[in-house]
Amino acid sequence: MTDYSEEQRNELEALESIYPDSFTVLSENPISFTITVTSEAGENDETVQTTLKFTYGEKYPDEMPRYEIFSQENLEDNDVSDILKLLELQAEENLGMVMIFTLVSAVQEKLNEIVDQIKTRREEEKKQKEKEAEEAERQCFHGTPVTIENFLSWKAKFDAELLEIKRKRMKEEEQAGKNKLSGKQLFETDHNLDTSDIQFLEEAGNSVEVDESLFQEMDDLELDDEEDDPDFNPVDLESD
């Protein structure tokens, strides 16, 4: 007769030794415990993780243990579903033998695969973005191929825009001509113009300075006096 209790106790001791930092007993009756499984570090040290909960039945290992995903980090819903299917498959294949280590090892490998898939997916997304960027740059450089249809469409739009610019310019020039005043109109409109010179002189007042050095005394001027010339003869002037 199989002693299920002894087999279960022996496996618990072995699991606690193998997973000292991630093994936790939840209850003694029924025996229930958790084991946290973490993938190897992927790109940028990213990992995925799940905590598996196992509960022994009375006849384990001749019957499958109950199992569930107790918690998880960075796993998608489809990843969780795949792990549960994997556990079911492994439990069926190892029925009749203590199997928790085998189940946990299978999940460990699955998590490593998921990390690799994440890395591959990101590389593909990066390549796709680079390809899209290159295509956008190529389109920008080469432009759109010219056809008769798109040229006529562009020309019609261009002519319409040019006509609108001309209309605005003519309207602005017309408006500017109406608002421009003649000299007479400016004089009649601004009455300060006819008094501006007088006002300037009045404001200047005695502030106008004269440089007297620019002028000489009449006595200092050397003027030729013809009468003082001994050779002067008025008759000569009359004969001239």
Side-chain angles (χ1 to χ4, degrees), residues 31 61 125 136-137 153 219 228:
I31 297 176
E125 290 175 353
E137 185 177 358
S153 176
D219 296 337
D228 293 336

Side-chain angles (χ1 to χ4, degrees), residues 16-240:
E16 188 174 8
S17 176
I18 296 171
Y19 307 107
D21 299 326
S22 59
F23 177 83
T24 303
V25 175
L26 300 178
S27 67
E28 296 289 343
N29 188 22
I31 297 176
S32 181
F33 56 90
T34 61
I35 298 177
T36 299
V37 188
T38 305
S39 70
E40 296 176 356
E43 188 177 12
N44 300 324
D45 294 330
E46 185 178 41
T47 60
V48 293
Q49 177 178 289
T50 183
T51 297
L52 306 173
K53 178 182 177 182
F54 298 98
T55 303
Y56 290 155
E58 291 182 1
K59 296 183 179 181
Y60 172 82
D62 286 339
E63 64 180 11
M64 290 193 302
R66 295 194 298 273
Y67 51 83
E68 62 181 277
I69 303 294
F70 193 71
S71 65
Q72 59 88 13
E73 292 182 8
N74 301 326
L75 290 175
E76 302 290 343
D77 291 341
N78 60 312
D79 295 328
V80 172
S81 178
D82 290 343
I83 291 173
L84 291 174
K85 291 178 181 179
L86 176 63
L87 287 170
E88 181 180 8
L89 178 63
Q90 291 294 320
E92 290 176 351
E93 291 180 355
N94 291 276
L95 193 61
M97 298 179 292
V98 290
M99 64 180 75
I100 302 303
F101 176 77
T102 301
L103 299 182
V104 172
S105 297
V107 172
Q108 177 75 63
E109 292 180 5
K110 181 63 177 178
L111 295 182
N112 293 339
E113 290 179 7
I114 293 173
V115 169
D116 291 339
Q117 291 171 1
I118 292 174
K119 179 181 178 181
T120 301
R121 183 167 62 248
R122 288 182 175 175
E123 290 177 350
E124 291 176 351
E125 290 175 353
K126 182 180 179 181
K127 290 180 180 179
Q128 181 63 27
K129 289 181 179 179
E130 291 176 351
K131 182 178 179 181
E132 291 175 355
E134 291 176 357
E135 180 65 20
E137 185 177 358
R138 188 181 67 82
Q139 290 291 339
C140 181
F141 179 77
H142 291 288
T144 304
V146 177
T147 63
I148 296 177
E149 291 77 8
N150 59 30
F151 172 76
L152 293 177
S153 176
W154 170 84
K155 187 175 185 305
K157 183 179 180 181
F158 176 79
D159 291 343
E161 292 176 353
L162 185 62
L163 180 61
E164 183 64 24
I165 292 173
K166 289 182 178 179
R167 288 176 178 174
K168 288 183 179 179
R169 185 177 299 172
M170 292 176 63
K171 185 175 181 180
E172 290 174 356
E173 292 176 352
E174 181 181 354
Q175 188 66 29
K178 291 181 179 178
N179 295 334
K180 185 176 180 181
L181 299 177
S182 64
K184 180 179 180 182
Q185 289 174 325
L186 286 172
F187 189 83
E188 292 175 347
T189 302
D190 189 354
H191 297 290
N192 292 325
L193 294 177
D194 57 354
T195 59
S196 59
D197 292 343
I198 298 174
Q199 183 178 359
F200 171 75
L201 293 175
E202 291 177 348
E203 290 178 353
N206 296 326
S207 64
V208 178
E209 297 181 358
V210 178
D211 188 355
E212 296 180 358
S213 65
L214 298 176
F215 301 91
Q216 297 182 359
E217 295 291 340
M218 293 297 296
D219 296 337
D220 295 336
L221 296 177
E222 295 182 1
L223 300 176
D224 293 335
D225 189 349
E226 294 179 349
E227 295 180 357
D228 293 336
D229 185 358
D231 298 328
F232 174 74
N233 187 355
V235 176
D236 294 338
L237 295 174
E238 293 178 359
S239 62
D240 290 343

